[in-house]
Amino acid sequence: MRVEIPEPDWFLDNVLATAGRDRRVLGPASDWQRSWREEFSRLQIVRDGATETVLPLAATQGYVLSRAQAMAAGVPPSTVRRLVRRGSWQRVRYGVLAIVGTDGGSGLIEQRRRHALDAAAGALIRPDHVVSARSAAVLHGLPVRRLPESAELTARPVRSGGRTAALLVREAALPARQVTDWFGVPTTSVARTVADLSRHDPRDGVMAADAALRESLTTRRELSGVIDGCAGWPGVRSARLIRDLADPRAESPLESLVRLEIRTSQLPPPDLQVEIRVAGRTYRVDFLWRRQRLVLEADGRGKYTGDELWAEKRRELALTRAGYRVERVVWADLGRGWPAVAARLRSVLAASPPR
């Protein structure tokens, strides 16, 4: 099985987490929401009569509006064409415009922005629907292994699901308390989003759960409440597994997926983000089996460059000299490559005498 590297690129490697004034962790999800708030501020100061006219409305619909709404606000078709042509606005889907542009590139963040606008447009043309699953994860700034091909929505009230008009509509009960909004766009709450991801694919679920807990976007209690309400639903056993496995100490999607592989391989659980004091210096490692003195590091695609690579080599040498064995896992080791990794870890853990 091929494992995709998660998008966007600021989820690929360790997340540099800092504490804000309220002591909450600031990370990718916080940065994502901040970028859209800054977009709103930028639009407020741009002197563009058309944007000024429709901004109050579009700001409550995820920065999108229908052509009919634009015309009702006094924006003539010729002005719409001019704004689209110069890139200030963009056509999101048939009959729906976004009052923000993109650079048109293929970068992961730009792809994510385009999907967010497309999901907002889907909710606009389907007023009884809520953005959900992977599309909701995008709106919340949570990691997924790959962007969905179509905006994913849940019908409210429940009706038949399926694919229609470039939308994937699911059929599921959705209590009002599990619905929030993203700049006015109805979307499933973070806890419900994580639960849905976990039911559909535990790999998406564990990445999103760890990230959401790390940035205090939800709590384990909220997540448990949602999952308990899904009793009897398809995939609820996977959701319970992710609820029990979720850990805010995980600092990257790779670490989250490695931990899931460790659990499903029935290897003993390691400690996470452990500080080891060696020769007067402190080193923090991703995973540690303390009794066997086995260290496992999850290396993202661009974790080490230049001097960082040399520093990492010195760090590994110091740990080895102190009696630790250091193993590494990369993206290519997931999926089909994992059985070999698991066998190697199992052998080391069995051979290493407890201390």
Side-chain angles (χ1 to χ4, degrees):
M1 178 182 61
R2 180 175 177 269
V3 175
E4 302 90 343
I5 294 179
E7 52 68 51
D9 49 7
W10 31 257
F11 274 119
L12 290 176
D13 303 306
N14 284 347
V15 176
L16 296 178
T18 57
R21 292 180 180 177
D22 58 0
R23 308 309 297 170
R24 290 182 63 188
V25 171
L26 304 180
S30 302
D31 284 344
W32 169 256
Q33 306 302 348
R34 177 182 54 79
S35 71
W36 287 98
R37 288 193 297 270
E38 290 177 351
E39 185 76 34
F40 179 76
S41 299
R42 183 187 68 78
L43 290 171
Q44 284 181 308
I45 63 176
V46 171
R47 294 186 177 278
D48 188 317
T51 304
E52 277 185 65
T53 303
V54 298
L55 178 59
L57 174 61
T60 65
Q61 299 179 162
Y63 298 97
V64 299
L65 72 159
S66 68
R67 285 184 174 275
Q69 289 175 328
M71 292 182 63
V75 184
S78 59
T79 300
V80 170
R81 289 193 295 270
R82 173 176 58 82
L83 291 169
V84 171
R85 188 167 55 249
R86 76 183 191 188
S88 299
W89 288 15
Q90 61 177 310
R91 296 185 178 90
V92 183
R93 57 173 60 231
Y94 182 77
V96 183
L97 302 158
I99 65 168
V100 296
T102 61
D103 63 13
S106 59
L108 294 171
I109 292 181
E110 280 304 302
Q111 293 177 32
R112 202 170 168 93
R113 281 174 59 87
R114 285 195 291 271
H115 185 79
L117 294 171
D118 184 58
L124 180 63
I125 64 177
R126 295 275 182 147
D128 292 333
H129 293 60
V130 176
V131 178
S132 59
R134 288 178 297 170
S135 292
V138 171
L139 296 191
H140 288 305
L142 297 173
V144 291
R145 292 183 303 117
R146 56 186 173 82
L147 290 175
E149 296 178 1
S150 306
E152 299 181 349
L153 307 177
T154 294
R156 188 181 58 168
V158 174
R159 60 187 65 179
S160 60
R163 291 188 181 274
T164 176
L167 298 170
L168 173 58
V169 179
R170 289 189 170 90
E171 179 182 353
L174 187 55
R177 64 181 179 277
Q178 294 176 13
V179 178
T180 183
D181 76 276
W182 180 80
F183 296 97
V185 179
T187 183
T188 51
S189 67
V190 171
R192 174 60 185 263
T193 300
V194 171
D196 286 342
L197 292 175
S198 301
R199 290 192 303 109
H200 301 154
D201 188 331
R203 294 166 296 180
D204 277 338
V206 71
M207 292 191 302
D210 287 352
L213 292 177
R214 184 174 61 243
E215 296 195 50
S216 301
L217 303 181
T218 189
T219 64
R220 200 178 300 275
R221 182 176 180 179
E222 290 173 340
L223 185 57
S224 292
V226 172
I227 294 173
D228 288 344
C230 297
W233 291 18
V236 70
R237 291 182 63 182
S238 292
R240 289 171 181 151
L241 167 66
I242 298 307
R243 175 197 59 194
D244 297 340
L245 186 62
D247 196 315
R249 293 174 297 174
E251 292 187 339
S252 73
L254 178 56
E255 290 182 30
S256 299
L257 292 175
V258 168
R259 214 171 67 259
L260 178 61
E261 295 281 19
I262 288 172
R263 174 67 173 267
T264 55
S265 299
Q266 298 184 329
L267 290 166
D271 289 332
L272 277 62
Q273 303 303 328
V274 179
E275 292 186 345
I276 300 176
R277 189 77 174 169
V278 174
R281 302 192 65 175
T282 300
Y283 301 103
R284 189 158 63 106
V285 300
D286 295 334
F287 304 98
L288 174 65
W289 285 269
R290 293 181 184 272
R291 295 176 60 194
Q292 293 85 359
R293 300 176 75 85
L294 173 61
V295 170
L296 179 63
E297 294 283 66
D299 291 345
R301 181 173 63 182
K303 190 173 181 179
Y304 309 117
T305 58
D307 292 342
E308 293 177 332
L309 179 60
W310 175 242
E312 180 59 22
K313 288 183 176 180
R314 293 178 58 187
R315 172 178 178 272
E316 183 171 332
L317 179 61
L319 290 170
T320 301
R321 287 176 173 173
Y324 292 91
R325 172 159 177 167
V326 180
E327 294 285 339
R328 296 187 177 277
V329 62
V330 297
W331 286 106
D333 291 322
L334 298 179
R336 292 180 179 176
W338 181 256
V341 175
R344 186 169 71 248
L345 293 175
R346 189 172 287 109
S347 175
V348 174
L349 290 170
S352 301
R355 299 193 180 191

